[in-house]
């Protein structure tokens, strides 16, 4: 697909997790079912996103699907039971929601590399990524009301924030499929390129991002989320403010004064208008 050489970060059953020059790539590797996910897949994705968050060498995360037909076709219907998707432990789960939350809260850009069908829960997955770059053969759509499921969370509300209420209601109420150009026109994706150029394009975007200030990117992502995410959004943005405060001499003075059993002298630090 491209000449980019990826190095394995960790071995999993259902996903590939690889690294190239500051970029982590998470690939759902179940092409026989158009990269549908099971509880095992989603637990592995959660682990890879957790590592991507913690590892300072990783600056941008790319999410994609294996092969040239699908990004992700949503929940694996073969393991859908009552109450959710059933894993090897017999417990029904809806834990793709945990992955959605991780994608939004990781303080690094996540780019969906949409290399084919992005359908159902797979469509929501690309939607919640910060950026989506699609190949010309990509097809987008929701199927829930046809196949006995729905995502009325981010899959509805965040979609409406991205492309508007009317188009979101059309997508969910009619369950049609849309081609890559239609997705671009309605603002569902950022760019469309030929399939054989997709990975090079995504890596070029990631490298352009990595020329910029990671803290600035982190705070812009937190601010964009905060506007939509209520108290949890404010918590994340406030956490970043605390991080920045801890970097100041003023904050150090408070801690040092406590440890040295003296009154803190905050007068020595500038007051900004
Ligand atoms: C993707 C489609 C359009 C591709 O069509 P195409 O190219 O004609 O291929 P097919 O012949 O249809 O498929 C090839 C093989 O792949 C299997 N397959 C495809 N998708 C799935 C799937 N999702 N699950 C299991 N198997 C799948 C086919 O069966 C076929 O196998 P063989 O070769 O053995 O016949 C087309 O395949 C399609 O429409 N797929 C189904 C898409 C779908 O309905 N997905 C489920 C939608 N629902 C969800 O995702 C649940 C939402 C959700 O996850 C969620 C939301 C909120 C809160 C929680 C949850 C949660 O459930 O966790």
């Amino acid at each position: 697909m491209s000449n980019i050489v990826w190095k394995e970060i960790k071995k999993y059953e259902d996903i590939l997790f690889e690294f190239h020059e500051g970029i982590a790539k998470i690939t759902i590797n179940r092409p026989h079912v158009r990269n549908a996910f099971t509880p095992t897949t989603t637990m592995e994705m959660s682990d890879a996103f957790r590592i991507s968050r913690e590892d300072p060498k990783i600056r941008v995360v790319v999410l994609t699907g294996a092969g040239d037909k699908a990004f992700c076709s949503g929940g694996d219907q073969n393991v859908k039971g009552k109450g959710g998707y059933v894993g090897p432990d017999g417990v029904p789960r809806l834990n793709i929601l945990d992955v959605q939350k991780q994608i939004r809260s990781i303080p690094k850009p996540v780019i969906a590399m949409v290399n084919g069908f992005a359908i159902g829960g797979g469509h929501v997955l690309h939607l919640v990524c910060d950026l989506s770059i699609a190949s010309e053969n990509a097809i987008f759509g929701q199927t829930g009301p046809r196949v006995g499921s729905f995502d009325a969370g981010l899959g509805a509300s965040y979609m409406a924030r991205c492309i508007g209420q009317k188009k979101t209601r059309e997508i969910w109420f009619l369950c049609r499929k849309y081609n890559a150009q239609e997705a671009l026109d309605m603002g569902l994706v950022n760019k469309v390129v030929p399939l054989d150029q997709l990975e090079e394009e995504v890596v070029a975007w990631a490298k352009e991002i990595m020329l910029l200030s990671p803290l600035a990117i982190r705070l812009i992502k937190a601010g964009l989320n905060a506007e939509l995410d209520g108290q949890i959004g404010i918590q994340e943005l406030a956490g970043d403010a605390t991080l920045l405060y801890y970097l100041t001499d003023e904050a150090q003075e408070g801690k040092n004064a406590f440890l040295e059993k003296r009154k803190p002298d905050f007068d020595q630090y500038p007051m900004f208008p």
Side-chain angles (χ1 to χ4, degrees), residues 32-34 73-77 85 94 96 117 121 143 147 149 151:
H32 58 291
V33 284
R34 300 290 187 264
S73 63
D76 188 327
Q77 301 287 27
Y85 297 87
L94 301 172
I96 193 64
F117 288 105
T143 57
V147 299
S149 64
D151 183 345

